Amino acid sequence: MDPGAAAPRRGKRPKSGDPVVDRALTLLAAFSADHRALGLAELSRRAGMPRSTTSRLAARLREWGALERDEQGRFVVGLRLFEIASLAPRSHGLREVALPYLEDLHEVTRQHVLLAVRDGAEALLVERLSARAAVEVAYRVGGRMPLHDTGVGLVLLADADPAFRDEQFALLESPAAVAELRRRLADVQRLGVAVFDRKRPAPVSSVAAPVRDHAERIVAAVSIVVPAGSAKPQAYEQVVRAAALAISRGMGSRRGTRTSRPAQ
């Protein structure tokens, strides 16, 4: 070493690869609705990390409570993450206000009742109430749903800015699909409610309405999902609108009161 060269700094490792926090988050993102329990080898593969790194990070996440082990020794998401996630203001405050009205809607219809918010290019389900005999649906609390292919998604997409909607149109397979989605969104904007039919995993109809906050911004959508053909979806519009309006008032909206301003 050159005697005149500066001595190397001690106490800090040079940056190399992804930061530890990024790798830890990647590890957690390896879990999904279809992969709730993962052995070390599968966790390593899904996260794209060496097995030794995965083992070390998983052990640290277990100590903190973000991961746990099930009866077979596989890794599962820990309750500490649920505790932290429950503090998210976009879901917790909204859910707290909405739950009594969702329960009323569920009691009246005895069908699936959904509450969702937009998160990027998807709808995120923050609450679901279901009757045991209700039609099969694939959605779970915390799960994501397409904006263009669900009732709540159409309500949220109809309120998005035009540039974002254009991005969603570009993802569709054909001009006919784009024209159909434009028509659906125009109906939502005109009527203030979305009525949507879907064939998979079971034929269902959905009726959804927007939830507004104190600034009259659409912050969520509430819907019911009923078996296709059981009744005309329009028969549910009034109760869904009433529930959405009641939740909106709880969020500070003045719509539907004497002091409300006219719709723009």
Side-chain angles (χ1 to χ4, degrees), residues 13-50:
R13 293 183 179 181
K15 292 183 179 180
S16 60
D18 296 332
V20 173
V21 66
D22 288 348
R23 282 179 281 172
L25 292 173
T26 299
L27 208 62
L28 294 174
F31 294 89
S32 70
D34 296 324
H35 298 86
R36 295 172 183 248
L38 300 172
L40 179 60
E42 189 175 11
L43 181 58
S44 172
R45 179 181 60 79
R46 286 180 57 81
M49 296 181 193

Side-chain angles (χ1 to χ4, degrees), residues 101-122:
Y101 305 106
L102 299 179
E103 290 173 343
D104 288 345
L105 185 58
H106 178 251
E107 184 65 27
V108 169
T109 63
R110 306 307 299 173
Q111 300 291 342
H112 297 294
V113 174
L114 310 181
L115 179 69
V117 299
R118 183 163 76 90
D119 186 29
E122 297 171 300

Side-chain angles (χ1 to χ4, degrees), residues 212-216 245 248-257:
R212 300 177 182 271
D213 66 4
H214 65 282
E216 306 302 345
L245 181 59
S248 297
R249 288 173 179 166
M251 296 294 291
S253 171
R254 302 292 292 173
R255 291 199 173 207
T257 67

